[in-house]
Amino acid sequence: MTDLELLIDLHKDGHRQGPGGDEQTRLAIELSGLKDQPNLEIADIGCGTGASTMLLAQELDAHITAVDLCPEFLKILDDAIAREDLSDRIATRAESMDALSIRGVTLDAIWSEGAIYNMGFENGVRSWREFLKPGGILAISELTWLTGERPEEVEAYWNAQYPEVDTASAKMAILENAGYAPIGYFPLPKQCWIYNYYRPTQTRFEAFLDRHGEIETARALVAAEREEMAVYERWSDYFGYGFYIARRLAD
Ligand code: SAH
């Protein structure tokens, strides 16, 4: 099995594939101001198995294109769409966030929870802007330093994992310089990491290792995830996910 196949196998049974929460998706929807608007066209990029996609469909008058690189995650979302009879509201597309097949300025909103890091925050917000109508909403969650300074150990860990990690004020400046007006920000509370993501992932480690424990990269994956969890337990006062909501300005 490839590293990617192992990662999918470990995470496909989770409600979410990254830190987040239904309550926080709802809060971002409130802050976005999209609720009063009819007939929205939205893309949920890096949607995973679609926790946020389903909420967007429930809360908004919208058609949603749910994009993820991983067909196995989209298959789970497709099953949920069929179960809930939402096929006229949600369409899934297996493609990469840096080569979207969206053509033209068609979107009222781009949603992306815990995924833009795959192409980098600045690169992502700059390249997705061309699909958003002026006044359209960008709502993304992203790894964020919560304080101006932090212990060297946690700084070194995340700089190695994701060098674009930065403070909310720096991320807002990136948005401002890329032609957006930030309209909302909140940090995800700790339960979004611990109860919604790490604990459920942990409960799957044993069965995962029963299936794949003979593969060295599978053991390394579990070790890396355990290390990340330990870093979070120890240093969560200093980093978390920030949810950024911004409005695309006219050119
Ligand atoms: N938004 C979901 C998933 C977050 S995990 C949630 O919050 O639960 C990150 C997701 O990004 C995964 O589903 C992964 O398959 C997807 N991904 C990784 N690289 C990608 C790429 N280049 N293009 C599109 N999706 C990608």
Side-chain angles (χ1 to χ4, degrees):
M1 277 178 111
T2 64
D3 290 1
L4 185 64
E5 285 166 341
L6 288 166
L7 199 67
I8 292 162
D9 188 66
L10 180 59
H11 286 287
K12 70 179 166 31
D13 294 330
H15 177 57
R16 286 178 178 264
Q17 286 71 46
D22 291 359
E23 226 179 289
Q24 287 66 37
T25 301
R26 285 202 184 89
L27 175 57
I29 292 171
E30 285 296 333
L31 293 170
S32 73
L34 291 167
K35 269 200 153 164
D36 345 323
Q37 300 180 32
N39 266 324
L40 296 164
E41 195 59 44
I42 300 178
D44 186 355
I45 302 178
C47 62
T49 58
S52 58
T53 317
M54 296 301 279
L55 282 172
L56 290 166
Q58 275 168 25
E59 302 280 326
L60 298 173
D61 177 7
H63 179 267
I64 303 151
T65 304
V67 177
D68 202 279
L69 192 57
C70 170
E72 290 86 343
F73 290 159
L74 293 178
K75 164 82 177 61
I76 292 166
L77 176 54
D78 280 330
D79 291 345
I81 294 167
R83 243 185 351 260
E84 306 281 328
D85 205 13
L86 284 169
S87 56
D88 54 337
R89 307 272 315 282
I90 307 173
T92 59
R93 255 192 230 165
E95 59 189 37
S96 185
M97 60 175 71
D98 56 6
L100 296 168
S101 63
I102 300 164
R103 291 290 162 263
V105 187
T106 53
L107 297 178
D108 298 292
I110 292 179
W111 213 264
S112 184
E113 297 195 22
I116 198 171
Y117 71 89
N118 286 293
M119 66 184 290
F121 184 85
E122 179 158 13
N123 186 20
V125 303
R126 284 187 181 277
S127 45
W128 294 348
R129 186 177 182 273
E130 68 177 280
F131 307 118
L132 271 179
K133 296 175 190 168
I137 292 293
L138 180 71
I140 41 188
S141 65
E142 161 81 344
L143 188 76
T144 299
W145 293 131
L146 303 177
T147 56
E149 289 181 8
R150 70 235 37 122
E152 230 169 79
E153 199 178 325
V154 65
E155 177 121 20
Y157 175 82
W158 279 115
N159 279 333
Q161 301 287 328
Y162 183 54
E164 260 195 81
V165 58
D166 215 330
T167 55
S169 52
K171 298 281 175 191
M172 302 257 199
I174 289 171
L175 288 167
E176 287 160 356
N177 293 329
Y180 296 91
I183 60 170
Y185 167 79
F186 60 92
L188 293 186
K190 290 185 191 184
Q191 82 254 17
C192 290
W193 291 73
I194 293 177
Y195 297 113
N196 298 355
Y197 181 54
Y198 284 151
R199 295 262 166 89
T201 305
Q202 258 168 342
T203 62
R204 295 193 298 272
F205 281 160
E206 202 179 306
F208 175 81
L209 288 172
D210 282 347
R211 289 195 297 279
H212 309 298
E214 80 288 356
I215 307 171
E216 197 186 327
T217 48
R219 295 194 302 274
L221 174 63
V222 170
E225 297 218 1
R226 285 196 168 122
E227 186 190 10
E228 189 193 304
M229 292 176 192
V231 168
Y232 189 76
E233 296 262 332
R234 181 149 177 224
W235 304 114
S236 59
D237 287 346
Y238 299 97
F239 73 93
Y241 257 84
F243 216 130
Y244 299 83
I245 299 107
R247 183 176 295 119
R248 192 214 127 140
L249 301 173
D251 289 322

